[in-house]
Amino acid sequence: MSSHYEAPIREPLVLGEKSYHDITMDIVKPIEGKANKNWYIAFGIALTAFLWGVGCILYTIGTGIGVWGLNKNIGWAWDITNFVWWVGIGHAGTLISAVLLLFRQKWRMAINRSAEAMTIFAVFQAGLFPLIHMGRPWNGYWVLPIPNQFGSLWVNFNSPLLWDVFAISTYLSVSLVFWWTGLLPDFAMIRDRAVKPFQKKIYALLSFGWSGRAKDWQRFEEVSLVLAGLATPLVLSVHTIVSMDFATSINPGWHSTIFPPYFVAGAIFSGFAMVQTLLGIMRKVSNLENYITRLHVEYMNIVIIVTGGIVAVAYASEFFIAWYTGSPYENYTYMSVGAATGPYGWAFWSLILFNIAIPQLLWITKVRRSFIWSFIISIAINIGMWFERFDIIAIVLSKGHLPSTWTRFEPTFVDVGVFVGTIGFFFVLFLLYARTFPVIAQAEVKTILKSSGEHYKQLRDGKNEH
């Protein structure tokens, strides 16, 4: 437990007169109580979208990839766009749990659990796209370097697409271990409170026999630290490798050395935006207003401003270099005069509006500290980041070296359906998680209660006066 107190001028991270027991009660309420009406409405919408997506995926597999809007020149489009978008959304979770743990930031306590859950659910969605993009998902295991019946045929280790397989699987496994480790004390708490024998048994299995002894806590802290150290390079490596899917090719507009850092910044940018979106909903649905405060929202918005600035500078340099080379091919990349005035002009300007213009509102303190504005801006950013990936893929591929290969990509209802389906699946998972798992790491919030809780800060201020 941290015995040092913070300066009285710092805002509290836990509001209200909370004791340790109050925290427990507030966090187990959504699990032990009945779900409210809003939860059922949200779940119904998400489930409908998910089932629509399942239908579209089955139709794709049964009929073939031809049902998407792809053609002989544009072989990647919505599917890879969505893949990169989902992988990017997962990034904030690892950043919050690993990097901020190493920097000992107290404000991560209330948001890390949901951010990590979001990471895992987003990686599920991302992994779905390359699999159905194969057209023959039952051959999916061919991407793994395993002994096989073809005279031990090996995968091509030179291909960035294979690096993707390794990056995503490592990412998923490390995030899962990270998330689960943090959940152990919370599962044990629910296990000890459970009245129904079946519930008790399930949570006893999930908590791996956590007893809360000092030895348990010591190991818990050690493992968290080691995992944070292992996961920090992952924050950088996963999206770097995703960017290499493009950067190692020879298409103008793709083979650009700026891609890795710029993709990583974009990933954290969109990831934090998604955390804002989800926590905006969570605060209301699970009544967590005292734990997710204006301060949390403001800190996340500051991260969004920084990474958004990096992304904006990357756009500017891409645009300038494309113009400065004077190469006619570069005039048709996703950041160029050709893109801004061509048939995909609407996508280009959507990107500029949602990703650069709207986030600048966060420089204003009132906007940065407002829940509703943060919510709106976070949704805008995620739309903008989707357009960024779409522009990079569709605009670049639609104008090849030969004018005879110039073509348009038009999404079909199946493209749209699969995408909407993954969004539905994501929210189905997230809503179920909110009803069965503690959405806030109660053990960690308790460690900052005395240093950063409103009630304790007031008591200390009172002492100083007398």
Side-chain angles (χ1 to χ4, degrees), residues 5-27:
Y5 298 129
E6 11 171 275
I9 196 165
R10 277 184 183 259
E11 282 180 67
L13 287 169
V14 182
L15 303 178
E17 295 205 359
K18 298 288 179 198
S19 66
Y20 289 129
H21 181 62
D22 294 336
I23 296 181
T24 305
M25 294 309 288
D26 288 344
I27 290 171

Side-chain angles (χ1 to χ4, degrees), residues 50-228:
F50 173 44
L51 292 173
W52 184 31
V54 169
C56 289
I57 289 174
L58 292 174
Y59 178 54
T60 305
I61 294 171
T63 315
I65 298 292
V67 299
W68 293 350
L70 305 177
N71 49 50
K72 71 180 201 300
N73 298 318
I74 300 185
W76 279 4
W78 268 51
D79 41 320
I80 302 293
T81 303
N82 299 338
F83 162 72
V84 181
W85 187 73
W86 277 119
V87 174
I89 280 178
H91 267 60
T94 327
L95 185 96
I96 290 171
S97 38
V99 179
L100 298 184
L101 182 133
L102 296 176
F103 283 112
R104 308 202 169 172
Q105 295 295 312
K106 291 180 181 171
W107 59 278
R108 61 174 272 282
M109 305 299 190
I111 56 177
N112 66 350
R113 177 66 45 76
S114 290
E116 284 166 41
M118 185 190 81
T119 299
I120 290 159
F121 301 151
V123 172
F124 279 167
Q125 313 312 323
L128 207 61
F129 283 103
L131 206 63
I132 52 180
H133 195 291
M134 291 173 184
R136 297 192 175 94
W138 50 92
N139 289 341
Y141 67 95
W142 287 7
V143 298
L144 302 170
I146 46 178
N148 51 52
Q149 71 273 39
F150 306 110
S152 205
L153 182 69
W154 281 98
V155 285
N156 179 10
F157 285 103
N158 294 335
S159 165
L161 296 178
L162 183 74
W163 312 339
D164 252 353
V165 172
F166 290 124
I168 303 287
S169 50
T170 311
Y171 195 43
L172 180 62
S173 48
V174 171
S175 304
L176 208 56
V177 172
F178 217 125
W179 187 53
W180 207 267
T181 310
L183 275 163
L184 291 178
D186 296 17
F187 281 153
M189 171 197 79
I190 299 175
R191 172 198 68 196
D192 296 342
R193 290 178 49 89
V195 256
K196 301 184 188 126
F198 178 67
Q199 205 182 8
K200 210 177 183 70
K201 210 171 205 107
I202 293 290
Y203 283 110
L205 281 171
L206 293 178
S207 62
F208 293 166
W210 175 276
S211 65
R213 293 196 310 267
K215 196 76 193 150
D216 285 8
W217 282 110
Q218 186 203 343
R219 285 182 182 145
F220 177 79
E221 300 282 332
E222 276 176 17
V223 167
S224 299
L225 213 56
V226 170
L227 280 174

Side-chain angles (χ1 to χ4, degrees), residues 257-277:
T257 48
I258 198 177
F259 265 36
Y262 147 51
F263 265 57
V264 170
I268 295 166
F269 183 51
S270 64
F272 270 89
M274 195 65 162
V275 176
Q276 290 276 41
T277 310

